[in-house]
Amino acid sequence: QVKLVESGGGSGQAGGSLRLSCAASTATSHAYCMAWFRQFPGKEREGVGVIWTADRSTWYADSVKGRFTVSQDNANNTLYLQLNSLKPDDTAMYYCAAGPPAGPPQMCGLRSASYPFWGQGTQVAVSS
């Protein structure tokens, strides 16, 4: 069982930045697929970005590529999502998730069904 706790959500302005954190109960230095998802009201969760913790390689959804960055801090067993160049369309609930070691991030994928462990979510609201 892996417990995940997100923090760092809040309000931001278009063009600004936010950083979300996800504290994990397991060692991020081990090999996991760890990912960030977001959910808009009334919609399914969509994958944002994934990191293969064994080598810190990442893979992103086209909608956030070049703006969002996933990283990990093994000293604190924490996953991060850096959100830059914020847009009002980024307003959503953001979740971190952990899954079994599937390999490179493209193999981990961004399908929510691939991730058995989830945090409770943190809200991001971006104003224009």
Side-chain angles (χ1 to χ4, degrees), residues 41-56:
K43 298 291 183 68
E44 297 288 324
R45 288 181 189 178
E46 66 174 39
V48 172
V50 55
I51 191 165
W52 171 232
T53 61
D55 65 7
R56 302 177 187 246

Side-chain angles (χ1 to χ4, degrees), residues 52-73:
W52 171 232
T53 61
D55 65 7
R56 302 177 187 246
S57 54
T58 55
W59 188 54
Y60 298 94
D62 288 343
S63 58
V64 304
K65 200 173 293 183
R67 299 193 299 122
F68 291 7
T69 303
V70 180
S71 62
Q72 66 191 73
D73 175 359

Side-chain angles (χ1 to χ4, degrees), residues 12-116:
Q13 291 202 322
S17 298
L18 285 172
R19 190 176 78 160
L20 309 183
S21 301
C22 173
S25 65
T26 188
T28 54
S29 58
H30 296 173
Y32 291 101
C33 297
M34 297 192 74
W36 286 94
F37 289 77
R38 63 185 179 183
Q39 188 168 23
F40 304 110
K43 298 291 183 68
E44 297 288 324
R45 288 181 189 178
E46 66 174 39
V48 172
V50 55
I51 191 165
W52 171 232
T53 61
D55 65 7
R56 302 177 187 246
S57 54
T58 55
W59 188 54
Y60 298 94
D62 288 343
S63 58
V64 304
K65 200 173 293 183
R67 299 193 299 122
F68 291 7
T69 303
V70 180
S71 62
Q72 66 191 73
D73 175 359
N74 292 342
N76 294 298
N77 296 325
T78 299
L79 187 72
Y80 297 103
L81 179 66
Q82 178 71 38
L83 297 76
N84 294 333
S85 302
L86 286 167
K87 303 177 181 179
D89 287 349
D90 294 322
T91 296
M93 184 72 80
Y94 284 74
Y95 299 88
C96 69
Q106 293 88 341
M107 295 297 293
C108 297
L110 289 171
R111 291 177 61 248
S112 58
S114 300
Y115 295 85

